[in-house]
Structures are given as C-alpha cells and as structure tokens.
Amino acid sequence: MTKTVIESLQENDVKAISRLMSAVENDSQTDETLIEELYSHSLNSIRIGITGPPGAGKSTLIDKLIELFRKNEKTVGVVSVDPTSPFSGGALLGDRIRMNQHALDTGVYLRSMGSRGMTGGLARKSHLMGDILSCTGKEIIIFETIGVGQAETEIIKNADITVVVLVPEAGDEVQFMKAGPIEVGDLFVVNKSDRDGAGRAAELLSDYLKDSVESREFTPEIILTTASSGEGVADVYKKSLNLILQLQKSGTLEKRREKQYLNRVRGAVRDELVQRFWNSQPELDFDSEILLQFANGQSPYSAARYLINSLKLNHD
Ligand SMILES: Nc1nc2c(ncn2[C@@H]2O[C@H](COP(=O)(O)OP(=O)(O)OP(=O)(O)O)[C@@H](O)[C@H]2O)c(=O)[nH]1
Ligand SMILES: [Mg+2]
C-alpha cells in the first residue's frame, strides 16, 4: 500500500518533506484535505521566532542553538525567510553555509524561503512550512526573519516566543526602532559583543525597553553574545527554554496560541478574499490600464469601492 503524504512526513522522509515544501512555496499545493490534516499533526512543537536586522548574526546564532538542542536530544526545524533583495542578495546561500554542519543530521531540517516578490502569501507559507516540520516530529521550530514589513511581523507573531538579535552599533533609540518589531521581543540578544560598545548598547536597550513599552507581560532580559565563537549562546538557550516553561505555567502560552490562531484566521481570510477578488476579475491586475482610467478624477478609494461593489466572488 502506498503511504499517505502525512505518513511519509511522520517518517521524516526528506524527499516527501522537500516536495511538499516546494509545492507550498510555488502555490501548487491545493489539496485542502492535506492542509487540514497537516494542521492537526502540527500542534506539539515549540515555535521560536528569531528576528533582527540583516547581518546581525541570526543564522550564526541559530546554528549554535541547534547544536545545544541536539545535545539535549531535541529535534529542530528552521524556516529562514530571506529577503533576497538586490541589497542583501546571497543570504540564502549564506544561511545554507552557516548551518551546513547540520545537513546530514536527520534530527534537523533547514529550509530557506525567498520573500522577494511574495506579498500576501509569505506569512501563510511560512506557517505551513512550520506545520510541515512539526508534522515530521520536530520539537522546536525556529523562524528566522529580518522582521521588517507586515508579512514578516505576521510570521513572528505566530511564534511562542521571539528573540530579537541586535548588534552593538544599534545603540540608540532610532536604531532600535529600525530593528523591526521590538515590541514583540521576549528576549534580546546583543550579538557581536566582541566588538566595542556591546555593554553600552545593552544599557541603552534596557532603558528603552523600560520606558517604551508598557503593555508587556514582563521585562525582557538582554544577553550579550558572540555567536561566531558561541559565547553567551548557552545563556540564550537556557533563558529561552525557561521562558517557555514560565509561559506554559502561567497560562500565557495558551493565550498566545489562541491569539496566533486568530491571527492565522485573519490572515487567511484576507489572503483568500484578495485572491478571489483578482481571480474574479481576470481582465484586471494591479498594473491594469483599466484601473488607471479611474485615475482620471476619482480617488483610489472610490475606484477600489467601485471594483469591490461590482465584484462577483466565485463560490467554488
Ligand atoms: N564579529 C562577529 N561576527 C559575527 C558574529 N556573529 C556572526 N558574525 C558574522 O556576521 C555575518 C552575518 O552573520 P549571519 O549569521 O549570516 O547574520 P544574519 O543575521 O543571519 O544575516 P541575514 O540572514 O543575511 O539577515 C557573518 O559573516 C558572520 O560570520 C559575532 O558574534 N561577531
Ligand atoms: Mg540569516
């Protein structure tokens, strides 16, 4: 008897994993029953978001964290969302090289996904990648993103805890603001502390965190690391696990997961409506000449409303 896709995933069949991941990435995965089944097998993993500006050392840190997870016999999946923009090209290859030492370890699965040209679907796809890895039995799923933009924030919001990685040069408020979703950080890392200014950056960050965010459940800790040599990484490991335990005990994790669920529902409604909208108007696309006819005196909002009001959503 041939195995179902879910069975192959559960057996950690690497070919089945990468095939399904590619189908998800290329939008050729349309089997809703499979997606449904996948979800029900994806509820046992801990999801950790690791975010921070390009080049801060996220992948290097993750590589060292994987070592610690493996020493403690935990399996790990990583979904890296690479900007692959003209400004930071090569990240994908970089990640592969930096985490290469785990390539032959069947308890580790690494997947990079380019974010270029992908808007609405990016968060959904990353979540599905996480579900696939979870279905293969990975106990820890790490999402790596540069944390900028709506889709990336949506990915991070779906993690159980979020670690924000900064560098010593990020030592002022403006830099913190630029560093991505600081407000979702549960744990902060000042990496590259082999360089000058790490202690100072940590102090400034500590002040900034105390002053700027009142709605936090707790004051996040700040850890200095040199990911390239591994210094401080054990502390990141320990504190992340402690934090997860703490959140579990206090019931906060359960609440966060409810929020994650709602976020995914909200994202899915938006994505599907947008897709149905454009599918229902095959003669239109964003660059359409037809749309530009509205530009002749009508506001973009009234043009949008006109289009939406004339909409026939397909009910398939
Ligand atoms: N000096 C120093 N360099 C580091 C440290 N950690 C990482 N690096 C170097 O910084 C560069 C970027 O590291 P990555 O781990 O790729 O950073 P990243 O945040 O994953 O980068 P993107 O995924 O491209 O955003 C690499 O050349 C690393 O070797 C550190 O603690 N100290
Ligand atoms: Mg990276």
Side-chain angles (χ1 to χ4, degrees), residues 44-109:
N44 293 326
S45 309
I46 295 291
R47 293 168 197 237
I48 302 176
I50 299 206
T51 189
K58 301 178 292 296
S59 301
T60 314
L61 177 72
I62 291 168
D63 179 62
K64 295 289 194 317
L65 284 173
I66 296 174
E67 267 177 51
L68 293 172
F69 280 120
R70 296 303 291 140
K71 263 193 203 139
N72 290 284
E73 286 169 23
K74 294 226 177 297
T75 50
V76 188
V78 181
V79 181
S80 293
V81 179
D82 289 306
T84 49
S85 76
F87 310 109
S88 60
L92 201 143
L93 184 64
D95 276 344
R96 293 229 172 104
I97 291 167
R98 268 184 279 292
M99 296 190 252
N100 208 14
Q101 59 159 324
H102 305 291
L104 295 176
D105 181 352
T106 55
V108 176
Y109 194 98

Side-chain angles (χ1 to χ4, degrees), residues 53-60 91 95 98 144 146 191-192 194 225-228:
K58 301 178 292 296
S59 301
T60 314
D95 276 344
R98 268 184 279 292
E144 177 190 346
I146 57 160
N191 189 40
K192 306 200 183 182
D194 50 324
T225 62
T226 304
S228 46

